[in-house]
């Protein structure tokens, strides 16, 4: 079997703390730039002020407001208050450690716990349904939270494939492609058609019968990608992160004269502004509490998605990268600091004949893994 080609990681967006190596300590990076942290980066997890890089050889390196390195690492997950590291343990087990980011991984962790894989069950051959990544704990029915309690169990009946955390909410994808959400809902980020919070995982009724392949949680918005390549998106649209018209961008363009607020039949909040070209009020979506189907340009199918605080990034089957939403620090990769309320292709990778394979958004920046076209 042919060896998988090795590509390179790129970063762009906010790097005021030097968290995008190779970019210096500038305030913003407006176009993708290659990262220069070690070699063979396998995993990137970005918080606001620092980034964790895990290499294929199991080395963890931190860059930004937090620094330090460690070996024998399987995975790492970065947040402002907590750095969680999964390290190789005895036998097939693993050791979970939580550190204060500023400790440079020295001294004793805040807490540590052995993670013992569960026995394979008849309903989960090979344990594949539990083979997620942090903050989901591999082969266990639990996840890690940046706020106490740090270790949080999941209901035994949930066969988890992926779990993502937003600023106030959580998304879970199970083994059969069903999506669950819980936590804060004041921006419609749970997708249940209300702005109410949910204490326990609740399935999204609007997506029943649709098998999803991936979920992504932004600060206060959510995205999922179906097995057929469709994108569903919901939550807060303050900066156009839902790829729907938003008031803030219209105001930047000085097109707003007056407004009236209403509610669509599907529950989405609408603000209608005067000043549309045809003289009719232009609708602006503030909150979309139900999953909405989003079409990419040229009818492209999506395979991966990631969300920042208020921006969204999607990779297509052909290896193109589309971004939209808040762009103040260049996190959209379009060589400017504009925000966009519709998907826009990042031309850097097209010009360089690169095919995007993976995407990871930090709150205010973006990291991309790409290979040369024709070598994938």
């Amino acid at each position: 079997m042919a060896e998988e080609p090795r590509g390179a990681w790129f970063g762009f967006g906010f790097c005021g703390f030097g968290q995008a190596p190779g970019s210096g300590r500038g305030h913003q990076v407006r176009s993708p730039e290659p990262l220069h942290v070690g070699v063979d980066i396998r995993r990137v997890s970005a918080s606001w002020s620092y980034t964790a890089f895990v290499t294929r050889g199991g080395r963890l390196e931190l860059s930004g407001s937090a620094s330090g390195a460690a070996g024998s690492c399987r995975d790492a997950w970065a947040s402002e208050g907590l750095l969680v590291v999964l390290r190789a343990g005895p036998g097939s087990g693993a050791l979970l450690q939580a550190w204060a980011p500023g400790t440079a991984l020295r001294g004793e962790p805040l807490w540590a716990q052995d993670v013992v894989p569960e026995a394979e069950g008849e309903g989960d051959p090979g344990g594949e349904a539990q083979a997620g990544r942090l903050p989901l704990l591999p082969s266990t029915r639990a996840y890690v939270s940046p706020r106490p309690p740090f270790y949080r169990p999941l209901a035994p009946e949930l066969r988890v494939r992926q779990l993502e955390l937003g600023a106030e909410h959580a998304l879970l994808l199970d083994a059969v492609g069903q999506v669950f959400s819980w936590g804060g809902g004041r921006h419609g980020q749970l997708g249940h058609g209300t702005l109410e919070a949910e204490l326990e995982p609740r399935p999204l009724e609007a997506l029943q019968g649709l098998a999803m392949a991936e979920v992504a949680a932004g600060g206060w918005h959510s995205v999922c990608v179906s097995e057929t390549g469709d994108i569903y998106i919901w939550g807060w649209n303050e900066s156009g992160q839902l790829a729907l018209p938003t008031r803030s961008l219209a105001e930047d363009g000085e097109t707003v004269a007056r407004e009236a607020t209403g509610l669509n039949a599907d529950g989405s909040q609408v603000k209608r502004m005067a000043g549309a070209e045809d003289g009719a009020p232009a609708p602006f979506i503030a909150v979309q509490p139900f999953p909405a189907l989003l079409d990419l340009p040229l009818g492209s199918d999506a395979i991966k998605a990631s969300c920042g605080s208020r921006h969204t990034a999607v990779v297509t089957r052909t290896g193109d990268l589309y971004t939209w939403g808040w762009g103040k620090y260049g996190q959209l990769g379009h060589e400017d600091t504009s925000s966009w309320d519709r998907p826009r292709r990042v031309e850097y990778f097209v010009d360089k004949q690169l095919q995007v394979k993976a995407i990871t958004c930090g709150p205010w920046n973006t990291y991309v893994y790409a290979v040369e076209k024709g070598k994938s």
Side-chain angles (χ1 to χ4, degrees):
M1 188 172 67
E3 184 179 353
E4 181 182 352
R6 294 290 172 87
W9 280 90
F10 299 81
F12 45 101
F14 179 68
C15 64
F17 295 91
Q19 61 267 57
S23 302
R25 299 184 67 87
H27 197 52
Q28 53 192 217
V29 176
R30 304 180 183 185
S31 182
E33 294 186 1
L35 302 185
H36 301 291
V37 175
V39 293
D40 295 336
I41 299 170
R42 180 175 60 86
R43 165 87 153 109
V44 177
S45 180
S47 185
W48 175 69
S49 67
Y50 75 100
T51 304
F53 303 92
V54 180
T55 70
R56 294 178 187 271
R59 181 173 175 80
L60 168 66
E61 295 191 15
L62 306 180
S63 179
S65 66
S67 60
S72 302
C73 292
R74 295 183 181 179
D75 198 2
W77 181 68
S79 69
E80 283 302 291
L82 198 68
L83 170 67
V84 180
V85 180
L86 190 68
R87 311 184 78 166
S92 60
L95 175 64
L96 185 71
Q97 295 179 330
W99 299 80
T103 62
L105 297 170
R106 297 192 184 98
E108 295 296 323
L110 296 175
W111 56 274
Q113 181 167 339
D114 290 323
V115 179
V116 180
E118 293 181 346
E120 298 174 9
E122 295 181 0
D124 183 19
E128 293 182 359
Q130 298 294 327
R133 67 181 192 183
L134 291 174
L136 177 67
L137 299 181
S139 302
T140 68
R141 293 189 177 93
Y143 67 100
V144 180
S145 169
R147 291 175 289 274
F150 299 117
Y151 183 95
R152 302 194 182 190
L154 291 163
E157 63 270 17
L158 291 174
R159 312 302 296 176
V160 190
R161 193 162 82 201
Q162 183 187 0
L163 187 143
E164 298 291 328
L165 297 181
E168 299 175 346
H169 74 296
L171 293 180
L172 182 152
L173 179 68
D174 76 2
V176 297
Q178 187 174 24
V179 179
F180 296 74
S181 68
W182 68 99
R186 61 192 175 117
H187 294 293
Q189 64 263 49
L190 299 185
H192 301 305
T194 72
L195 308 183
E196 301 297 322
E198 295 286 342
L199 297 179
E200 300 294 335
R202 176 182 170 187
L204 268 70
E205 296 178 3
L207 299 178
Q208 290 283 359
L210 299 172
M212 298 297 151
E214 184 160 303
V215 295
W220 298 270
H221 72 292
S222 304
V223 177
C224 60
V225 179
S226 76
E227 292 185 351
T228 58
D230 291 327
I231 302 170
Y232 294 87
I233 190 165
W234 62 96
W236 199 30
N237 192 49
E238 189 273 343
S239 297
Q241 58 264 48
L242 302 189
L244 295 169
T246 180
R247 177 186 177 186
S248 63
L249 300 191
E251 287 179 329
D252 289 344
E254 298 180 353
T255 61
V256 178
R258 65 181 188 276
E259 72 175 79
T261 304
L263 199 65
N264 276 340
D266 64 0
S268 59
Q269 291 182 5
V270 176
K271 294 182 178 178
R272 301 187 180 277
M273 307 295 176
E277 292 182 2
D278 60 1
F284 293 98
I285 308 300
V287 168
Q288 172 70 37
F290 279 114
L293 180 63
L294 171 64
D295 292 323
L296 291 177
L298 306 177
S300 301
D301 291 336
I303 57 170
K304 294 183 180 298
S306 186
C307 300
S309 174
R310 286 177 284 159
H311 74 287
T312 307
V314 166
V315 179
T316 70
R317 293 192 193 281
T318 56
D320 287 328
L321 174 67
Y322 285 87
T323 62
W324 61 93
W326 191 45
K328 180 178 179 179
Y329 293 97
Q331 59 265 49
L332 302 185
H334 301 311
E335 300 184 4
D336 58 28
T337 56
S338 299
S339 297
W340 287 78
D341 60 7
R342 60 186 183 276
R344 182 182 176 189
R345 189 171 67 176
V346 179
E347 297 299 330
Y348 175 91
F349 298 103
V350 178
D351 296 341
K352 298 290 185 181
Q353 292 292 299
L354 294 173
Q355 188 173 16
V356 176
K357 290 291 187 179
I359 179 74
T360 298
C361 292
W364 293 5
N365 53 26
T366 306
Y367 295 92
V368 172
Y369 180 73
V371 301
E372 291 183 26
K373 286 187 176 179
K375 293 188 178 181
S376 58

